[in-house]
């Protein structure tokens, strides 16, 4: 089954991975867990519990692998603006401590 999934954290293509994603699958570029709330079609930061599926159990850490039976990976999980904000914050923190972040 073909898909156009990208890592929610770094945007790397996940087309080499087969569906359904395993609870143990990780991004080949940044090693982020992929069976996570932020990678799911039901994730929505604007709603209570950040999940649009009423039957799903509450998951505290939205970036940690979980056992949610409602999980369905979203092809729109990656948000370039969120990544830019995270990169800027990381660079500011590194500059504060006199380090450079040369990826």
């Amino acid at each position: 089954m073909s898909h156009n999934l990208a890592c929610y954290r770094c945007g790397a293509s996940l087309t080499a991975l087969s569906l359904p994603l395993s609870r143990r699958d990780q991004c080949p570029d940044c090693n982020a867990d992929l069976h996570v709330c932020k990678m799911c079609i039901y994730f929505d930061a604007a709603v209570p519990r950040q999940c649009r599926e009423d039957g799903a159990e509450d998951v505290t850490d939205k970036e940690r692998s979980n056992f949610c039976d409602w999980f369905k990976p979203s092809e729109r999980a990656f948000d370039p603006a969120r990544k830019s904000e995270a990169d800027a914050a990381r660079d500011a923190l590194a500059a504060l401590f006199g380090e450079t972040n040369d990826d």
Side-chain angles (χ1 to χ4, degrees):
M1 173 184 274
S2 78
H3 58 80
N4 294 317
L5 294 176
C7 175
Y8 74 94
R9 185 183 289 167
C10 72
S13 174
L14 303 175
T15 55
L17 298 175
S18 60
L19 295 179
L21 290 177
S22 161
R23 181 181 176 278
R24 294 187 177 131
D25 280 337
Q26 292 184 324
C27 172
D29 284 9
C30 72
N31 296 320
D33 290 333
L34 296 175
H35 195 287
V36 300
C37 295
K38 286 190 175 181
M39 188 73 192
C40 182
I41 62 170
Y42 298 115
F43 177 76
D44 185 347
V47 300
R49 299 183 315 116
Q50 298 181 329
C51 184
R52 286 183 278 123
E53 177 49 60
D54 292 335
E57 291 185 31
D58 190 22
V59 175
T60 309
D61 189 344
K62 307 298 184 193
E63 294 186 12
R64 190 164 184 193
S65 185
N66 61 58
F67 291 101
C68 182
D69 291 333
W70 297 97
F71 176 78
K72 290 183 184 166
S74 171
E75 292 185 355
R76 294 183 287 167
F78 176 66
D79 180 359
R82 187 177 63 228
K83 182 178 183 323
S84 297
E85 290 172 7
D87 288 345
R90 195 175 303 106
D91 291 345
L93 185 61
L96 182 65
F97 290 100
E99 301 171 7
T100 59
N101 189 6
D102 300 325
D103 288 337

